[in-house]
Amino acid sequence: MQRRRFLGLTAAGAATAALAPALTACGSEASGATTLKLVAADYGDKPGNSSKKYWDALAREFHEKNSKIKVDVEVYSWNEVDKKVAEMVAAGKAPDLAQIGAYADFAAAGKLYSAEQLLTVPTQADLIASIAKAGEVNRVQYGLPFVGSTRLLFCNKTLFAQAGIAKPPESWDELKAAATKLQSVKGVKMPFGLPLGPEEAPAETMLWMLSGGGGYTDHNGSYTIDSSDNVRTFEWLRDEFVGKGLTGSGDPARTNRQDVFDAFCRGEVGMLHGHPTLMQQATAKGVKYMTAPLPGVKGKAKSTMGVADWMMAFKQNGNREQIGLFLDFVYSTKNVLDFTGQYDLLPVTSSASAQMLGDAKHKDLRQFLEQLENATFYPADKTSWAKVSKDLKEKIGSVVKKGGDPASVLSEIKRDADSQEIAAR
């Protein structure tokens, strides 16, 4: 969801990582039974709702139905799970399954099974097409979407009323006007929360690019990071938003997404870009909010960002059949809904999505679900994306500071991205 990604490793996850016994590389036992190793990301923000509980219960239920297959699970925070998997693979100890943020590097290196090699036809066909396509490298699907999310503009209703703002802004002019009014409301530390810090800078960057009519790539998949639309967007942010104090007194380059979410839940932020999980967090703190499509230059943005987190299966241990059985179980409608419902995320299968749309208890998610089919996703199919994401985390915050140079920084990131693409051919 960036990815999607909350707090540090929970106590439960840390204990599990520290105490879990080392598994053999092959995952097979003398009795003919097989032990699959799954490394997964933690979507919880405290030990009580750690994803470890979900996966352990799912693994037990699967083992009861498939007595010769066990699944051992290690769960890490989003701050470290991708690195952990990369280290395992580099050491020649790849897990059988990884549920993390990116797959393209592993696919390009020939380390992954394709979806066709793993899933039954009904399971593969049930994946929402637009998201499944984002899991392709050279038109072969290696990344299996696990959960999805889209982004909307969140507004604090109480602060809007105090500022005399009648409705959510639809254009940049209205956005700036609303933020200016919020600036004078007592207790507002950030009229608009702008998290360009290392936690999720690529997501915030993409949201602003889309609202300005740009994006990371064009329709052919070529990088357009330094397009005139994108440069204009960050010049506007630098001069008309950050430069006028409308994002608060802090440095956006050092501001992380969860910090802004926490401040919104304390009633200190007027507006921000948010995903479905923020609804749960805000409601728990008694914050009254409303959501709306992203404001664009002259009106509502044509697209919002869609995020998918990925499941992938490594070839190293040769457990293709057992992995496939487990994944068919993971992607059953019930199990998909159990996970997404717990964290207010979006299903990636048509069956679960249809069921969620028809369930009154998930009515707040409908606005996010309705955008999923036409959302714009990260270029996660590119082997260069991991490097681009890293560059954005390190550099994009500088462009909105006084004297920042969006054209130069965006051009530098694009040159590096293109070089990575050429080197990978």
Side-chain angles (χ1 to χ4, degrees), residues 1-74:
M1 26 178 55
Q2 180 177 93
R3 250 152 246 24
R4 302 359 136 241
R5 302 166 171 104
F6 296 105
L7 305 177
L9 183 64
T10 63
T16 301
L19 300 176
L23 297 173
T24 60
C26 65
S28 298
E29 302 171 357
S31 63
T34 300
T35 297
L36 301 177
K37 182 173 182 177
L38 166 66
V39 177
D42 197 345
Y43 290 78
D45 59 355
K46 53 184 177 294
N49 68 354
S50 170
S51 302
K52 185 74 166 68
K53 290 186 175 183
Y54 170 84
W55 285 115
D56 283 347
L58 195 73
R60 283 194 301 271
E61 184 181 352
F62 177 75
H63 182 58
E64 289 171 2
K65 298 178 179 180
N66 301 272
S67 61
K68 290 191 175 182
I69 308 174
K70 291 178 63 179
V71 182
D72 282 351
V73 184
E74 292 182 10

Side-chain angles (χ1 to χ4, degrees), residues 293-348:
L294 304 185
V297 179
K298 298 297 183 183
K300 295 177 184 178
K302 294 180 180 179
S303 177
T304 189
M305 183 181 74
V307 175
D309 297 328
W310 302 99
M311 179 75 77
M312 62 212 69
F314 288 88
K315 294 178 178 178
Q316 181 179 322
N317 302 326
N319 295 321
R320 181 178 66 85
E321 182 179 350
Q322 294 90 338
I323 293 170
L325 283 170
F326 180 64
L327 288 175
D328 277 329
F329 183 70
V330 168
Y331 284 96
S332 69
T333 302
K334 175 186 177 299
N335 290 331
V336 169
L337 286 171
D338 282 350
F339 190 89
T340 54
Q342 181 176 347
Y343 297 107
D344 275 349
L345 293 164
L346 306 183
V348 295

